[in-house]
Short mmCIF file of all heavy atoms in Angstrom, two decimals:
data_model
loop_
_atom_site.label_atom_id
_atom_site.label_comp_id
_atom_site.label_asym_id
_atom_site.label_seq_id
_atom_site.Cartn_x
_atom_site.Cartn_y
_atom_site.Cartn_z
N GLN A 10 -7.11 39.06 -14.35
CA GLN A 10 -6.94 39.01 -15.80
C GLN A 10 -6.48 37.62 -16.22
O GLN A 10 -5.81 36.92 -15.46
CB GLN A 10 -5.90 40.03 -16.22
CG GLN A 10 -5.78 40.20 -17.71
CD GLN A 10 -5.84 41.64 -18.13
OE1 GLN A 10 -5.22 42.47 -17.52
NE2 GLN A 10 -6.60 41.93 -19.16
N PRO A 13 -5.06 35.06 -22.78
CA PRO A 13 -5.83 34.35 -23.81
C PRO A 13 -4.89 33.60 -24.77
O PRO A 13 -4.62 34.04 -25.88
CB PRO A 13 -6.57 35.49 -24.52
CG PRO A 13 -5.67 36.68 -24.37
CD PRO A 13 -4.94 36.50 -23.07
N ASN A 18 -2.57 21.29 -27.68
CA ASN A 18 -1.44 20.35 -27.71
C ASN A 18 -0.10 20.99 -27.31
O ASN A 18 0.93 20.70 -27.89
CB ASN A 18 -1.31 19.69 -29.09
CG ASN A 18 -2.57 18.93 -29.46
OD1 ASN A 18 -3.09 18.15 -28.67
ND2 ASN A 18 -3.08 19.17 -30.65
N THR A 21 4.99 19.83 -22.42
CA THR A 21 5.77 20.36 -21.29
C THR A 21 7.09 20.97 -21.75
O THR A 21 7.64 21.81 -21.04
CB THR A 21 6.01 19.27 -20.23
OG1 THR A 21 6.59 18.12 -20.85
CG2 THR A 21 4.71 18.87 -19.56
N LYS A 31 18.32 22.96 -15.58
CA LYS A 31 19.61 22.70 -14.95
C LYS A 31 19.65 23.23 -13.52
O LYS A 31 20.68 23.67 -13.04
CB LYS A 31 20.73 23.34 -15.78
CG LYS A 31 20.82 22.76 -17.17
CD LYS A 31 21.83 23.49 -18.01
CE LYS A 31 21.81 22.92 -19.42
NZ LYS A 31 22.55 23.75 -20.35
N SER A 34 16.06 24.09 -8.03
CA SER A 34 15.17 25.04 -7.36
C SER A 34 13.98 25.38 -8.26
O SER A 34 14.11 25.44 -9.47
CB SER A 34 15.95 26.32 -7.03
OG SER A 34 15.07 27.31 -6.55
N GLY A 39 10.07 30.58 -13.91
CA GLY A 39 9.12 31.39 -14.67
C GLY A 39 9.78 32.16 -15.79
O GLY A 39 9.16 32.42 -16.82
N PRO A 50 7.55 39.06 -30.95
CA PRO A 50 7.08 40.36 -30.45
C PRO A 50 5.57 40.32 -30.21
O PRO A 50 4.84 39.60 -30.88
CB PRO A 50 7.44 41.34 -31.57
CG PRO A 50 7.69 40.50 -32.77
CD PRO A 50 8.05 39.12 -32.31
N VAL A 53 1.41 36.93 -26.16
CA VAL A 53 0.41 37.10 -25.10
C VAL A 53 1.02 37.04 -23.69
O VAL A 53 0.48 37.63 -22.76
CB VAL A 53 -0.75 36.09 -25.21
CG1 VAL A 53 -1.58 36.35 -26.44
CG2 VAL A 53 -0.27 34.66 -25.14
N PHE A 54 2.13 36.32 -23.54
CA PHE A 54 2.71 36.18 -22.20
C PHE A 54 3.32 37.49 -21.71
O PHE A 54 3.26 37.79 -20.52
CB PHE A 54 3.73 35.04 -22.18
CG PHE A 54 3.10 33.72 -22.48
CD1 PHE A 54 3.19 33.17 -23.75
CD2 PHE A 54 2.36 33.06 -21.53
CE1 PHE A 54 2.57 31.97 -24.05
CE2 PHE A 54 1.73 31.87 -21.81
CZ PHE A 54 1.83 31.32 -23.08
N ILE A 62 -4.24 33.79 -14.47
CA ILE A 62 -5.06 32.75 -15.12
C ILE A 62 -4.56 32.57 -16.55
O ILE A 62 -4.28 33.55 -17.24
CB ILE A 62 -6.55 33.17 -15.14
CG1 ILE A 62 -7.05 33.44 -13.71
CG2 ILE A 62 -7.41 32.11 -15.83
CD1 ILE A 62 -8.35 34.24 -13.65
N SER A 92 -8.85 24.92 -19.58
CA SER A 92 -8.65 24.25 -20.87
C SER A 92 -9.77 23.24 -21.10
O SER A 92 -10.41 22.80 -20.14
CB SER A 92 -7.28 23.53 -20.83
OG SER A 92 -7.16 22.62 -21.89
N ILE A 98 -0.61 13.09 -16.68
CA ILE A 98 0.56 13.25 -15.80
C ILE A 98 0.73 14.72 -15.41
O ILE A 98 0.99 15.04 -14.26
CB ILE A 98 1.84 12.68 -16.45
CG1 ILE A 98 1.70 11.16 -16.60
CG2 ILE A 98 3.07 13.01 -15.61
CD1 ILE A 98 2.82 10.51 -17.37
N PHE A 99 0.56 15.61 -16.37
CA PHE A 99 0.63 17.04 -16.06
C PHE A 99 -0.42 17.39 -15.01
O PHE A 99 -0.14 18.14 -14.07
CB PHE A 99 0.44 17.88 -17.32
CG PHE A 99 0.33 19.35 -17.01
CD1 PHE A 99 1.47 20.11 -16.77
CD2 PHE A 99 -0.91 19.98 -16.94
CE1 PHE A 99 1.38 21.46 -16.46
CE2 PHE A 99 -1.01 21.33 -16.64
CZ PHE A 99 0.13 22.07 -16.40
N GLY A 101 -1.77 15.55 -12.69
CA GLY A 101 -1.34 15.06 -11.38
C GLY A 101 -0.26 15.94 -10.77
O GLY A 101 -0.30 16.28 -9.59
N ASN A 102 0.73 16.31 -11.58
CA ASN A 102 1.80 17.18 -11.10
C ASN A 102 1.28 18.55 -10.71
O ASN A 102 1.72 19.14 -9.72
CB ASN A 102 2.90 17.32 -12.17
CG ASN A 102 3.75 16.08 -12.31
OD1 ASN A 102 3.85 15.27 -11.40
ND2 ASN A 102 4.36 15.92 -13.47
N THR A 112 -11.45 22.32 -16.25
CA THR A 112 -11.82 21.78 -17.55
C THR A 112 -13.21 22.28 -17.94
O THR A 112 -14.18 22.09 -17.20
CB THR A 112 -11.80 20.24 -17.52
OG1 THR A 112 -10.51 19.80 -17.10
CG2 THR A 112 -12.11 19.65 -18.88
N ARG A 120 -15.54 31.69 -25.30
CA ARG A 120 -16.13 32.87 -24.65
C ARG A 120 -15.13 33.52 -23.69
O ARG A 120 -14.97 34.74 -23.66
CB ARG A 120 -17.42 32.47 -23.92
CG ARG A 120 -18.03 33.59 -23.12
CD ARG A 120 -18.46 34.75 -23.99
NE ARG A 120 -19.00 35.83 -23.16
CZ ARG A 120 -18.85 37.11 -23.42
NH1 ARG A 120 -18.21 37.51 -24.50
NH2 ARG A 120 -19.36 38.01 -22.62
N GLN A 129 -11.10 42.08 -19.55
CA GLN A 129 -11.97 41.94 -18.39
C GLN A 129 -11.49 40.79 -17.49
O GLN A 129 -10.92 39.82 -17.95
CB GLN A 129 -13.41 41.67 -18.83
CG GLN A 129 -14.00 42.79 -19.66
CD GLN A 129 -14.10 44.10 -18.89
OE1 GLN A 129 -14.51 44.12 -17.73
NE2 GLN A 129 -13.68 45.18 -19.52
N ILE A 131 -11.73 37.57 -14.96
CA ILE A 131 -12.45 36.30 -14.88
C ILE A 131 -12.33 35.85 -13.43
O ILE A 131 -11.28 36.01 -12.80
CB ILE A 131 -11.84 35.27 -15.85
CG1 ILE A 131 -12.11 35.71 -17.29
CG2 ILE A 131 -12.40 33.87 -15.58
CD1 ILE A 131 -11.39 34.88 -18.33
N THR A 132 -13.40 35.28 -12.90
CA THR A 132 -13.40 34.82 -11.51
C THR A 132 -13.58 33.31 -11.47
O THR A 132 -14.48 32.77 -12.12
CB THR A 132 -14.52 35.50 -10.70
OG1 THR A 132 -14.30 36.91 -10.73
CG2 THR A 132 -14.54 35.02 -9.26
N LEU A 135 -13.63 28.07 -6.57
CA LEU A 135 -13.44 26.63 -6.43
C LEU A 135 -14.49 26.02 -5.51
O LEU A 135 -14.98 24.92 -5.76
CB LEU A 135 -12.03 26.32 -5.92
CG LEU A 135 -11.71 24.84 -5.67
CD1 LEU A 135 -11.95 24.00 -6.91
CD2 LEU A 135 -10.28 24.69 -5.17
N VAL A 140 -16.92 29.30 -12.91
CA VAL A 140 -16.14 30.38 -13.50
C VAL A 140 -17.14 31.42 -13.98
O VAL A 140 -18.10 31.09 -14.68
CB VAL A 140 -15.29 29.87 -14.69
CG1 VAL A 140 -14.55 31.02 -15.36
CG2 VAL A 140 -14.31 28.79 -14.25
N THR A 142 -17.81 35.76 -15.34
CA THR A 142 -17.25 36.97 -15.94
C THR A 142 -18.15 38.16 -15.57
O THR A 142 -19.27 37.96 -15.11
CB THR A 142 -17.20 36.86 -17.48
OG1 THR A 142 -18.52 37.00 -18.01
CG2 THR A 142 -16.57 35.55 -17.93
N ILE A 167 2.54 16.33 2.23
CA ILE A 167 3.11 16.52 3.56
C ILE A 167 2.06 17.09 4.51
O ILE A 167 1.93 16.63 5.65
CB ILE A 167 4.35 17.44 3.50
CG1 ILE A 167 5.46 16.74 2.71
CG2 ILE A 167 4.83 17.83 4.89
CD1 ILE A 167 6.64 17.62 2.37
N ILE A 191 7.79 -5.43 16.95
CA ILE A 191 7.60 -4.77 15.66
C ILE A 191 8.10 -3.33 15.72
O ILE A 191 8.71 -2.84 14.80
CB ILE A 191 6.10 -4.80 15.24
CG1 ILE A 191 5.69 -6.23 14.94
CG2 ILE A 191 5.85 -3.90 14.04
CD1 ILE A 191 4.23 -6.39 14.62
#
Side-chain angles (χ1 to χ4, degrees):
Q10 187 130 44
N18 301 312
T21 53
K31 298 174 184 168
S34 172
V53 293
F54 297 100
I62 303 163
S92 167
I98 294 173
F99 173 80
N102 287 337
T112 304
R120 175 63 182 145
Q129 299 297 316
I131 292 172
T132 301
L135 178 56
V140 176
T142 74
I167 294 170
I191 293 176

